[in-house]
Amino acid sequence: ELGWDAQSGEYTLPDLPYAYDALSDVIDEQTMRIHHDKHHAGYVKNANAALKQLEAIRLGSGDSGLLQHWERSLSFNMGGHVNHTLFWTGMAPEGQGGGGQPVGNLANMIIRDFGSFKGFSDQFTGAASKVEGSGWGWLVYEPIARRLMVLQMQNQQDMMFAGAVPLLGVDVWEHAYYLKYQNRRADYVNAFMRIVNWGEISR
Ligand code: MN
């Protein structure tokens, strides 16, 4: 129920599972504060707002001409909420759960589907670094062939196929790295690998 309040029926901003400065070797405190408190909070607010507007349209009090607009807003902002909720829990301070390589079943699947951990890592960091404009790099589970894939995502939702289960995502919007890395997105993505919480991704 992370990010959702069943009582009010609204999505909520989950707290970070660590301090704002806990990842500061890789992501600085100010970026974490703005990213979590402003950007993620905005997606939550706007997802709830879109659902309210769609409810009003269902009930006949809303503007049905704006149905497509609010559906698009719902897709974008729910994408933002889900992506960031996974992003925060997918990281941990280096040496305290963050970094290294996965073990067990996930490690075996990565070797099976990408040849080696390096094969995966190179494709993941390369794909994330080369997203056109704002977006994400993702490791996903594809449930038909039951295999892992690396996907690029544009914005908060585009280029991901239905059924793909997101496991590990790196946010490559400029708001995620620009204060510390400016235009050096690849440096940020490579540094991100030092704080991946493989225990959580495996779970
Ligand atoms: Mn973001």
Side-chain angles (χ1 to χ4, degrees), residues 35 39-40 43 84 87-88 136 156 171 173 175-176:
H35 199 174
H39 289 280
H40 188 175
Y43 300 123
H84 288 86
F87 184 55
W88 309 131
W136 295 73
Q156 300 291 2
D171 188 340
W173 284 58
H175 68 224

Side-chain angles (χ1 to χ4, degrees), residues 101-114 117 139 141 146-148 167 198-199 201-203:
Q101 296 186 14
V103 295
N105 195 34
L106 179 60
N108 295 336
M109 287 183 69
I110 284 174
I111 291 167
R112 185 193 68 186
D113 296 338
F114 299 100
F117 181 77
L139 170 67
Y141 175 73
R146 301 183 181 184
R147 60 181 292 185
L148 301 172
L167 301 179
W198 285 113
I201 305 306
S202 298
R203 190 183 67 77

Side-chain angles (χ1 to χ4, degrees), residues 3-202:
W4 162 252
D5 177 22
Q7 209 131 53
S8 67
E10 296 207 318
Y11 293 98
T12 57
L13 180 67
D15 291 335
L16 290 180
Y18 34 69
Y20 286 100
D21 64 354
L23 309 175
S24 58
D25 285 350
V26 174
I27 304 175
D28 61 281
E29 177 179 352
Q30 189 184 8
T31 294
M32 290 295 288
R33 284 190 182 279
I34 297 170
H35 199 174
H36 176 270
D37 296 1
K38 305 296 183 189
H39 289 280
H40 188 175
Y43 300 123
V44 172
K45 179 168 172 275
N46 290 326
N48 286 322
L51 285 166
K52 281 258 177 346
Q53 295 295 328
L54 288 164
E55 182 183 25
I57 292 170
R58 277 202 308 278
L59 296 175
S61 58
D63 181 351
S64 62
L66 292 177
L67 177 65
Q68 189 176 24
H69 166 79
W70 291 115
E71 292 285 6
R72 171 159 277 280
S73 177
L74 180 62
S75 173
F76 176 81
N77 288 294
M78 274 308 295
H81 183 33
V82 171
N83 296 341
H84 288 86
T85 300
L86 293 172
F87 184 55
W88 309 131
T89 56
M91 298 186 288
E94 190 172 8
Q96 299 167 55
Q101 296 186 14
V103 295
N105 195 34
L106 179 60
N108 295 336
M109 287 183 69
I110 284 174
I111 291 167
R112 185 193 68 186
D113 296 338
F114 299 100
S116 64
F117 181 77
K118 184 176 186 306
F120 153 72
S121 184
D122 287 352
Q123 185 178 344
F124 179 80
T125 55
S129 300
K130 291 177 172 64
V131 170
E132 289 182 345
S134 297
W136 295 73
W138 284 104
L139 170 67
V140 306
Y141 175 73
E142 186 283 287
I144 296 176
R146 301 183 181 184
R147 60 181 292 185
L148 301 172
M149 294 181 180
V150 164
L151 296 177
Q152 291 182 319
M153 173 186 276
Q154 289 181 357
N155 295 317
Q156 300 291 2
Q157 79 279 36
D158 297 331
M159 292 174 65
M160 188 79 100
F161 58 86
V165 180
L167 301 179
L168 171 65
V170 57
D171 188 340
V172 295
W173 284 58
E174 287 181 349
H175 68 224
Y177 63 87
Y178 222 78
L179 292 180
K180 189 177 174 82
Y181 297 88
Q182 292 86 47
N183 60 308
R184 301 184 305 280
R185 184 195 275 182
D187 290 355
Y188 155 70
V189 171
N190 287 323
F192 169 83
M193 298 306 284
R194 290 165 32 208
I195 52 171
V196 173
N197 183 351
W198 285 113
E200 173 65 11
I201 305 306
S202 298

